[in-house]
Amino acid sequence: MGIDIRSMTLEELTAALKELGEPAFRGKQVFTWLHRGVRSFEEMSDISKSLREKLAGVYRVDGLRTARKQQSQADGTVKYLWELSDGNCIETVLMQYHHGNTVCISSQVGCRMGCAFCASTLGGKVRDLTPGEMLEQVLFAQADSGLAVSNIVLMGIGEPMDNLDNVLRFLELVNHPLGLNIGMRHISLSTCGVIPGIRRLADLELQLTLSVSLHAPDSETRSRIMPVNRAYDVDGLFDACHDYFQKTGRRISFEYAMIDGVNDAGWQADLIVKKLRGMPGHVNLIPLNDVAESPLKPSRRVRQFQQRLESQGVAATVRRSLGGDIDASCGQLRRKAMEQDRKEREA
Ligand code: SAH
C-alpha cells in the first residue's frame, strides 16, 4: 500500500525529504515529477537510485488502475472507471469542448446524499477520496488520452462539500505553479446544497465557479427528490447563495435536471426567477439522464421552461449532452460494473 504521496503539499514533501537528509530543492523535484503523472519512482530520472528506493519503501504513486475505459464514437468523450488501491471503483469523464478539455472528477466513493434521480448514491457512501486520488484522476486521464486538461469540474461521484478538507487541498495542488497550474477560474465545484460548505467556501473567496444542484425551487418538491433539503432548506440555500455572490462577486451556476411532471411546471420557473432576484445566476437545464433504477422520467418541457426563465431575465441554457452512448453520466458505469461483479459472484 504505502502512503499516498500525491496528497502532500510542496511544503510537506520538502519537510519529509529533509528528514531523510535531502536538500530543500529535492522537494520541488519530487513534487514536479508527481504532478507530471509518473506511476513509479523509477521514472524520476534525476533522483538518485538510493533515494528512489527509499521513497518506494514508504510511499505509493500508482493509486489508480484503469478498470474500464469507454470512448464515445460521437463526440470523443472518454470515460474511465478506475480501481483504487483498496479495490473500490470511481469514474472520471474527459470531455472535449471548444473552450478546452474538461475533466470531470469524483470526490468520494459513492455518495450519502440520496438524490432520487442519481445513480451515484444508490449504494450509499463507501469513503472519501484523498486529495491525491482526486489529482490522479486528472493526471492519469490526461496522460492516457494525450489531451491536455485545461478545466476541471467536481461533478462526478460524491458530494464535494461532504469531503471539503480534502477537496480544498486538491484545489491547492492542481493550482500549484509547479504542478498542473490550473487557475481557479477554470475550476467548477458542484454541491447539492450543503449550506455550511457554501459558507466556508465563500469565506475563502476563491475565484472558482460554484454550481448548485437546485432541481426544484420549492421546498416540497425539493425535499421529495433531494433529502438534503430536509436538513438545508431551499430558502436557506438561496440566502447562502446570495451571500456567496456578495462576498466573491462570482456568478453562481444552478443545475436543474428536468424531470417530467415533477419540477417542470411554469410556476416553478417563475419561482426560480423570484428567488434569484438580486443575483446574476445562470440556470443550466439538464435533460434528465434516464437511470434504470429510477421511476423518474425526462421532461418534455425543457425548451418552454428555458423560455419562461429567459423571458423574465434569467439566463438559462440547455446542457449539451456528451457521451450519451457510453453511460457517461453520474455513477452509471460504476453501477454497471458493480452489478456485473455481483452477477459473476452469484454465477
Ligand atoms: N454531489 C454534487 C456533484 C455531483 S452530481 C452535486 O449534487 O452537485 C453532478 C450533477 O449531476 C448534479 O447537478 C446532479 O444533481 C446531476 N445529476 C445526477 N443524476 C442525474 C441524472 N440522472 N440526470 C441529470 N442530472 C443528474
Side-chain angles (χ1 to χ4, degrees):
M1 287 288 285
I3 297 168
D4 169 23
I5 193 172
R6 249 186 283 255
S7 287
M8 293 167 76
T9 62
L10 176 58
E11 293 70 31
E12 289 168 345
L13 208 53
T14 304
L17 285 161
K18 207 170 158 197
E19 281 200 3
L20 294 175
E22 294 294 324
F25 68 86
R26 203 71 79 207
K28 279 189 183 168
Q29 270 180 323
V30 174
F31 187 89
T32 307
W33 279 114
L34 290 172
H35 288 243
R36 273 189 215 158
V38 295
R39 280 179 176 271
S40 73
F41 288 102
E42 252 101 89
E43 292 171 62
M44 301 185 176
S45 54
D46 57 0
I47 308 281
S48 73
K49 192 168 188 307
S50 69
L51 178 58
R52 281 187 266 144
E53 279 170 2
K54 244 188 263 179
L55 291 172
V58 184
Y59 301 106
R60 64 172 168 77
V61 286
D62 60 342
L64 305 181
R65 198 183 57 76
T66 312
R68 256 180 231 202
K69 176 182 167 185
Q70 298 183 333
Q71 181 145 22
S72 164
Q73 293 306 309
D75 53 48
T77 298
V78 195
K79 179 148 195 169
Y80 295 94
L81 183 76
W82 309 110
E83 187 179 321
L84 303 167
S85 52
D86 64 357
N88 279 304
C89 285
I90 51 160
E91 294 172 33
T92 301
V93 187
L94 185 62
M95 295 158 288
Q96 301 176 51
Y97 290 108
H98 50 266
H99 61 266
N101 300 318
T102 300
V103 62
C104 174
I105 67 155
S106 298
S107 57
Q108 296 177 316
V109 180
C111 183
R112 64 190 183 105
M113 294 298 147
C115 297
F117 43 81
C118 184
S120 299
T121 200
L122 288 169
K125 175 179 122 174
V126 180
R127 70 167 173 90
D128 290 330
L129 291 184
T130 67
E133 287 168 333
M134 291 183 244
L135 176 62
E136 284 174 349
Q137 294 173 60
V138 184
L139 293 173
F140 295 166
Q142 179 169 262
D144 178 84
S145 65
L147 298 167
V149 169
S150 53
N151 298 73
I152 299 174
V153 298
L154 284 129
M155 288 193 184
I157 298 170
E159 168 52 44
M161 297 296 194
D162 193 36
N163 184 21
L164 191 52
D165 288 333
N166 285 348
V167 164
L168 290 175
R169 182 183 272 251
F170 161 73
L171 294 176
E172 187 185 330
L173 292 173
V174 288
N175 195 223
H176 200 286
L178 289 180
L180 288 171
N181 198 15
I182 294 178
M184 285 292 169
R185 285 174 180 269
H186 296 269
I187 300 175
S188 294
L189 184 155
S190 181
T191 177
C192 64
V194 180
I195 295 174
I198 295 175
R199 296 210 174 272
R200 199 174 145 201
L201 204 58
D203 286 337
L204 295 172
E205 298 185 38
L206 302 177
Q207 289 299 297
L208 55 74
T209 300
L210 178 66
S211 285
V212 171
S213 297
L214 181 62
H215 304 318
D218 60 296
S219 217
E220 198 193 319
T221 309
R222 198 163 188 274
S223 286
R224 190 143 58 88
I225 55 177
M226 300 179 73
V228 68
N229 195 72
R230 294 172 210 155
Y232 302 114
D233 184 76
V234 67
D235 287 321
L237 175 59
F238 274 110
D239 286 343
C241 289
H242 280 274
D243 292 346
Y244 184 93
F245 172 69
Q246 289 304 327
K247 199 138 204 178
T248 64
R250 301 283 297 161
R251 183 173 88 154
I252 296 175
S253 176
F254 293 90
E255 310 297 301
Y256 203 94
M258 300 286 299
I259 310 170
D260 188 41
V262 174
N263 64 359
D264 59 352
W267 65 268
Q268 285 164 318
D270 298 345
L271 195 55
I272 295 176
V273 174
K274 189 173 155 214
K275 293 193 172 177
L276 278 182
R277 215 155 272 155
M279 170 175 60
H282 170 260
V283 181
N284 198 351
L285 301 171
I286 315 167
L288 183 78
N289 274 304
D290 228 332
V291 173
E293 290 91 335
S294 163
L296 302 171
K297 293 293 156 231
S299 169
R300 288 153 297 179
R301 308 187 65 251
V302 180
R303 292 286 162 199
Q304 278 137 285
F305 203 83
Q306 179 192 23
Q307 273 159 17
R308 191 135 171 171
L309 291 171
E310 294 246 290
S311 67
Q312 297 178 82
V314 169
T317 47
V318 178
R319 181 182 286 174
R320 192 164 63 97
S321 183
L322 296 180
D325 52 335
I326 56 164
D327 302 314
S329 59
C330 290
Q332 292 186 9
L333 186 56
R334 175 168 173 263
R335 286 298 297 169
K336 210 178 246 185
M338 281 162 74
E339 186 66 14
Q340 272 173 12
D341 282 355
R342 192 181 58 77
K343 282 195 185 128
E344 275 161 26
R345 270 199 310 276
E346 283 172 5

